[in-house]
Amino acid sequence: MFLGGIIWSAVAKDYNSLLASRVFASFGYGAIESLGPSIIADLFYERNYSSAMAVYAGFLSGGSQIGPVIAGYLIKARGWRWFFILCAIIAAVNFACTTFMLPETIYEPTVEEELAEDAEKGAHNHIDEVQAGSQAGHRVQMDYSAYGKGLLSFNVTKSAKERGVVKSIVYLFALPLPMLLVPGVLIASAMYGVILGG
């Protein structure tokens, strides 16, 4: 949807068409925004999640400030349509990489005590095991058939199966709304929106 909206923006004939294409692309871009935090949630323990999200948000904000500078030079040199052409190229590469290299994990730790014990042991035991395995000549084999199935599978979480998919979607949609009433979150959201909009 995002890629289609950008292509539409690049070939728009008048302002109304351009405006409609930007609105259309924005709905697709909103879905893209949820991938970063989801990937970070899969990669990091809960205690490290906020630090990883801060780095992610920093790069997101930095890109929002650097992107317009690049766009200004590109538009001056080649015209405004070339900005959308560049965005379409980047979005197409991103879409292909996401489709073929990012299987849905639905990662749900089953026993929190095991994770806590693993965290207490620290990284030293894991590093020792990896070094011992590599010194013994063991190679990690990737199961490409399972990976391919993971790319084409669509799963739901255990809670969604128990609650029902529609109720789970409504719950996930409504879950962050009470947090918007917390003054600190409201101020941070407004500041982020003003800076990003600028």
Side-chain angles (χ1 to χ4, degrees), residues 4 72 111 125 127 139-140 150 153 155 157 159 185 195:
V111 182
N125 291 340
I127 292 170
R139 290 185 65 192
V140 177
S153 67
N155 298 319
T157 61
S159 62
V185 174
I195 292 169

Side-chain angles (χ1 to χ4, degrees), residues 97-113:
C97 290
T98 301
T99 303
F100 296 111
M101 297 181 184
L102 189 64
E104 176 62 71
T105 61
I106 305 289
Y107 177 72
E108 295 181 281
T110 53
V111 182
E112 292 182 13
E113 290 79 18

